[in-house]
Amino acid sequence: MTETIGMLGIGIMGSAMAGNLVKAGFAVVGYDPVPAARDRFSEMGGEALASPRDVVEAAAISFASLPSGIALAEVIEGPAGVIRAGGSGQILIECSTLPLSAKRAALVAMEGAGKTLLDCPVSGTGAQAATGDLVILGSGDEQAFARCGPAFAAMSRRQVYLGRFGTGSIMKYIANHLVTIHNAAAAEAMLLGMKAGIAPGLIYDTLADSAATSRMFQMRGPLMRDENYDTPTATMRTHLKDLSIISSFAAELGCALPVYAAAEQLYRAGEGLGFAARDTASICAVLERMNGFDRHGGASASTTSSPQS
């Protein structure tokens, strides 16, 4: 029989993961409070249900991809939440980047209801999720993690089990710390080249396969090159949520992160300049504006002459 998998939260990431589960042959049921998200889910071959409780009653294994700790608490403990579902032993895989305190509170509630919560954030963007190019950063009950192996394999290229509950989130904070810096560095590199008179396409084509490249340069460099920021794989607003979590976590540890702190301010500036709903690659546009640079040759454009040797 075809196994049924649940999906709670059908946004950019959740819909991409659900789509790959459908393609792999799973029956997928899901819930999202937004009607348009439920409609999109149905169009891709999923079955939209009325509540998180209904999803967990229909699926022994479910994923959650949620925007906040408040949303997680509602999904778990709300009037039609997961812990209200009949039966026991269901596994919920929490894939979001959220504060550890929110995930640990959800773990206590789930255990009290005889259900299992895994902390398994994913490393990758919405575009990567669409192609199954994700890394699962798993933590929690090891046997439950192994039980979910086929579902993980359908939506990711790599699955890493990291140990006790919460370690997955900590590893995601570390990963997003690097993403934050690499994305900012890619934008600075593009700006530096353009101000020196080099076309953005030539900058990208030259550096993408050089010793100077990074995964972020390869992924977001084309968006910066083409100023393609309005179909976001991850919005500035969502990334700012992650930045707040990382900064708070580092503060709790008493860990100074000076390079990260400098990069963070560029994203804050982006929010102030109206880029919150655009792709995080738009940090390149933020830097262009901060430098008074117009790549299209307006009054504030930098010289387009060739750089001196």
Side-chain angles (χ1 to χ4, degrees), residues 156-171:
S156 64
R157 63 177 173 83
R158 186 181 178 210
Q159 307 85 40
V160 184
Y161 178 72
L162 296 165
R164 70 182 184 279
F165 186 94
T167 312
S169 282
I170 294 170
M171 193 64 75

Side-chain angles (χ1 to χ4, degrees), residues 186-249:
E188 279 197 354
M190 293 292 287
L191 172 68
L192 182 62
M194 289 188 293
K195 288 205 73 169
I198 304 175
L202 183 57
I203 299 167
Y204 177 76
D205 291 343
T206 303
L207 298 181
D209 193 30
S210 74
T213 196
S214 69
R215 192 72 183 275
M216 280 298 99
F217 187 83
Q218 292 170 343
M219 292 180 55
R220 296 241 160 82
L223 304 183
M224 297 174 186
R225 175 195 65 202
D226 301 336
E227 299 180 283
N228 180 16
Y229 308 132
D230 293 326
T231 306
T233 60
T235 65
M236 193 84 78
R237 179 181 293 114
T238 297
H239 196 65
L240 284 166
K241 179 263 295 181
D242 294 354
L243 294 183
S244 296
I245 294 170
I246 296 167
S247 296
S248 296
F249 181 69

Side-chain angles (χ1 to χ4, degrees), residues 13-222:
M13 294 297 290
S15 62
M17 293 189 293
N20 283 321
L21 289 165
V22 170
K23 290 175 186 175
F26 290 99
V28 185
V29 296
Y31 171 76
D32 194 289
V34 178
R38 296 196 298 271
D39 292 343
R40 182 173 61 245
F41 179 67
S42 297
E43 290 170 2
M44 70 173 59
E47 181 185 356
L49 301 182
S51 71
R53 178 186 60 207
D54 291 341
V55 170
V56 172
E57 287 182 342
I61 296 173
S62 297
F63 290 86
S65 181
L66 303 168
S68 67
I70 293 173
L72 176 60
E74 178 66 20
V75 161
I76 298 291
E77 301 181 69
V82 170
I83 64 172
R84 317 295 176 194
S88 62
Q90 296 102 323
I91 300 170
L92 179 63
I93 304 158
E94 217 305 307
C95 297
S96 319
T97 305
L98 301 173
L100 277 173
S101 57
K103 294 209 179 187
R104 286 171 175 157
L107 175 66
V108 170
M110 287 285 286
E111 289 180 338
K115 307 180 194 306
T116 298
L117 182 69
L118 294 176
D119 172 40
C120 300
V122 296
S123 180
T125 67
Q128 288 175 282
T131 61
D133 185 23
L134 296 176
V135 176
I136 305 291
L137 305 173
S139 61
D141 185 280
E142 188 169 7
Q143 289 186 336
F145 182 84
R147 163 74 177 84
C148 299
F152 286 142
M155 49 172 280
S156 64
R157 63 177 173 83
R158 186 181 178 210
Q159 307 85 40
V160 184
Y161 178 72
L162 296 165
R164 70 182 184 279
F165 186 94
T167 312
S169 282
I170 294 170
M171 193 64 75
K172 180 61 186 295
Y173 304 160
I174 297 168
N176 276 9
H177 163 276
L178 287 170
V179 165
T180 298
I181 294 168
H182 289 170
N183 189 53
E188 279 197 354
M190 293 292 287
L191 172 68
L192 182 62
M194 289 188 293
K195 288 205 73 169
I198 304 175
L202 183 57
I203 299 167
Y204 177 76
D205 291 343
T206 303
L207 298 181
D209 193 30
S210 74
T213 196
S214 69
R215 192 72 183 275
M216 280 298 99
F217 187 83
Q218 292 170 343
M219 292 180 55
R220 296 241 160 82

Side-chain angles (χ1 to χ4, degrees), residues 258-281:
V259 177
Y260 168 84
E264 180 181 6
Q265 296 311 306
L266 298 176
Y267 297 87
R268 301 287 174 198
E271 180 182 41
L273 291 171
F275 289 88
R278 306 181 85 183
D279 194 277
T280 55

Side-chain angles (χ1 to χ4, degrees), residues 193 195-198 303-309:
K195 288 205 73 169
I198 304 175
T303 178
T304 57
S305 61
S306 298
Q308 299 297 309
S309 58

